[in-house]
């Protein structure tokens, strides 16, 4: 996919609204189209937005945003009959007539060479016509509408600039994320940390974000319209210090420890059931997997990336 340049990014459409993430229908982009339609029904216009990212369903999503205008553009692009290379019966008749005149002018002795030239011209035109028909057939198969959204009369004002570092999108004011397939969406947390409005559905995966002043949650499409209209005409509140801390790794680690903690009563019950021994064995096994050069290799295999070489790093400091 395309990678946007590493500099501050501004909207090519003048939009204040954006989405960033994997371009999959499962990320809520089908819901985004429904929200666009509902917004237009209440306000008279679609809201302009930029969609950052790439993914296996990127083309289908782009086409859905383009609507009928995209179908028309692709049809004109692939329609072959304006091409000079397409041979009609009239063109072939003209070639035949020109060839007959050449036979009369140059005589019978040169007719073999002229005939070969004549057949070569016809063959060239027939080949060009065949290729155009083949191309048309392939384009029809490729460009067949993939969703009912492609029949929408008006295009949604949007752009698809490609992948980009989220930190470069400081110019935008509103992040819309209708996805309900997340555990805890990283891009939503990043948008909050950057001081933006976030508009997200009321859903268990979004519960953590509801405590932030700039979180505008919605339970239905009308609430979405009201939230977006308000966000576009107001400015986000500066993050309070306590809210900013909630978005740090330290606070996240504290929440992890708190979630994994058990009471003394629970610990005693596990010991009586013999589960504490299993816990001890799991801890030992986990430590062994992460120990030494083998641990670094294991982390690489699991995709830990830059943090894989933890043991090597510690040894280099000694």
């Amino acid at each position: 996919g395309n990678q946007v340049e590493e500099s501050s990014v501004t909207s090519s459409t003048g939009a204040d609204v954006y989405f960033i993430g994997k371009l999959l229908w499962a990320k809520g982009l089908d819901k985004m189209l429904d929200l666009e339609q509902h917004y237009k029904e209440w306000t008279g216009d679609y809201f302009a937005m930029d969609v950052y990212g790439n993914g296996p369903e990127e083309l289908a999503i782009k086409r859905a945003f383009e609507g009928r205008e995209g179908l028309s553009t692709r049809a004109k692009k692939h329609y072959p009959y304006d091409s000079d290379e397409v041979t009609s019966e009239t063109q072939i008749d003209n070639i035949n007539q020109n060839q007959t005149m050449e036979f009369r002018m140059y005589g019978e002795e040169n007719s073999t060479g002229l005939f070969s030239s004549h057949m070569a011209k016809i063959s060239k035109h027939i080949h060009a016509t065949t290729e155009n028909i083949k191309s048309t057939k392939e384009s029809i198969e490729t460009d067949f509408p993939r969703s009912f959204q492609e029949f929408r009369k008006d295009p949604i004002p949007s752009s698809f600039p490609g992948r980009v570092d989220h930190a470069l999108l400081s110019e935008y004011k509103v992040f819309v994320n209708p996805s309900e397939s997340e555990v805890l969406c990283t891009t939503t947390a990043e948008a909050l940390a950057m001081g933006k409005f976030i508009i997200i559905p009321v859903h268990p995966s979004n519960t953590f974000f509801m405590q932030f002043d700039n979180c505008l949650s919605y339970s239905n499409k009308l609430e979405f319209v009201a939230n977006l209209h308000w966000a576009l005409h107001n400015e986000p509140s500066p993050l309070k210090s306590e809210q900013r801390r909630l978005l740090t790794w330290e606070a996240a680690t504290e929440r992890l420890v708190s979630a994994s903690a058990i009471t003394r009563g629970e610990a005693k019950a596990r010991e009586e059931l013999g589960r504490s021994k299993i816990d001890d064995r799991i801890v030992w096994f986990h430590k062994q997997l992460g120990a030494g050069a083998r641990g670094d290799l294991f982390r690489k295999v699991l995709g830990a990336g830059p943090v894989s070489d933890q043991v090597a790093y510690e040894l280099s400091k000694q």
Side-chain angles (χ1 to χ4, degrees), residues 36 41 53 86 109 149 172 197 224 243 266 270-271 291 293:
E36 283 274 10
E41 290 172 5
V86 177
E109 63 276 8
Q149 292 283 359
Y172 294 89
F197 283 122
F224 171 84
Q243 291 182 335
E266 289 171 334
R270 291 184 66 82
E271 188 171 356

Side-chain angles (χ1 to χ4, degrees), residues 186-243:
T186 305
T187 53
T188 301
E190 290 171 346
L192 272 174
M194 295 166 72
K196 304 178 186 299
F197 283 122
I198 61 166
I199 302 181
I200 55 178
V202 175
H203 188 265
S205 63
N206 290 328
T207 301
F208 169 75
F209 301 121
M210 303 297 176
Q211 60 190 302
F212 290 86
D213 296 338
N214 291 331
C215 175
L216 306 177
S217 59
Y218 62 92
S219 299
N220 54 57
K221 294 175 183 177
L222 180 57
E223 287 184 4
F224 171 84
V225 173
N227 283 342
L228 179 56
H229 191 264
W230 189 88
L232 291 174
H233 293 84
N234 290 275
E235 293 301 319
S237 303
L239 270 180
K240 299 172 183 175
S241 58
E242 58 270 24
Q243 291 182 335

Side-chain angles (χ1 to χ4, degrees), residues 120-171:
K121 290 178 181 178
I122 292 178
S123 176
K124 178 181 177 182
H125 282 281
I126 291 174
H127 177 73
T129 302
T130 303
E131 289 300 312
N132 273 283
I133 292 172
K134 181 181 177 182
S135 174
T136 303
K137 178 176 179 293
E138 291 174 350
S139 68
I140 289 172
E141 292 173 350
T142 301
D143 292 337
F144 194 80
R146 303 180 186 185
S147 71
F148 286 111
Q149 292 283 359
E150 292 189 48
F151 293 102
R152 188 183 57 257
K153 181 180 178 181
D154 299 314
I156 291 172
S158 58
S159 72
F160 289 77
R163 293 172 56 201
V164 65
D165 184 342
H166 198 174
L168 301 178
L169 304 182
S170 57
E171 299 298 318

Side-chain angles (χ1 to χ4, degrees), residues 33-43 46 220-225:
L33 291 168
D34 290 339
L35 294 171
E36 283 274 10
Q37 190 62 42
H38 204 72
Y39 188 85
K40 183 182 180 183
E41 290 172 5
W42 280 91
T43 67
Y46 295 117
N220 54 57
K221 294 175 183 177
L222 180 57
E223 287 184 4
F224 171 84
V225 173

